[in-house]
Amino acid sequence: CGSLGVIGDLYKTEVYELAAYLNREKEIIPQHTISKAPSAELRPGQKDQDSLPEYDQLDAILKRFIEENETPEKIIAQGYPQETVRKIIRLLYQNDYKRAQCPPIIKISKKSFGTGRKYPF
């Protein structure tokens, strides 16, 4: 028995783009699933945006750090809030152990984020 994380190498914004693409001719993914506020549903009323920046900003920071190997200082110099950049990178390192618990993913990005990605970046 096994599994495969088919969308494991997608950023959140790319998941939404894929959902829109899949729904382009008819509703395959229920619209309420796409339009509701994102949540890990760990507690009642919890939403991702309570503790994370909007996905477009989050994804841009992660992409610069992971795929482009930019330093936090360079990302901040591009206009991203220092506190946000530092928090996202801290969370990335702090939660890295979770990647080892996930199924293998299909690599589509320049620098995959799956279990095969090793430190240092």
Side-chain angles (χ1 to χ4, degrees), residues 2-95:
S3 63
L4 179 65
V6 178
I7 62 171
D9 200 29
L10 295 178
Y11 291 95
K12 297 291 189 180
T13 52
E14 293 171 331
V15 171
Y16 281 97
E17 289 169 6
L18 178 60
Y21 177 79
L22 292 172
N23 280 359
R24 70 191 180 284
E25 294 178 10
K26 73 175 194 172
E27 188 176 273
I28 296 171
I29 301 170
Q31 187 57 43
H32 66 84
T33 301
I34 298 168
S35 59
K36 73 176 186 168
S39 172
E41 299 178 355
L42 300 174
R43 63 183 179 279
Q46 179 263 341
K47 296 181 181 37
D48 289 0
Q49 302 311 308
D50 295 342
S51 59
L52 296 170
E54 295 292 327
Y55 282 158
D56 57 342
Q57 186 180 52
L58 173 66
D59 289 356
I61 292 168
L62 288 172
K63 194 170 206 168
R64 284 176 166 83
F65 188 70
I66 295 168
E67 293 185 32
E68 306 301 328
N69 293 317
E70 292 183 6
T71 64
E73 293 73 22
K74 186 172 182 180
I75 298 169
I76 293 163
Q78 293 173 25
Y80 294 93
Q82 178 175 335
E83 182 178 316
T84 301
V85 171
R86 301 240 183 257
K87 176 182 178 179
I88 296 308
I89 293 170
R90 184 182 78 250
L91 288 171
L92 180 69
Y93 281 107
Q94 184 178 352
N95 293 293

Side-chain angles (χ1 to χ4, degrees), residues 4-5 8 15 46 56 86 99 101 106 110 117-118:
L4 179 65
V15 171
Q46 179 263 341
D56 57 342
R86 301 240 183 257
R99 287 188 308 111
Q101 300 171 359
I106 298 173
K110 289 191 299 183
R117 184 176 144 263
K118 304 289 185 199

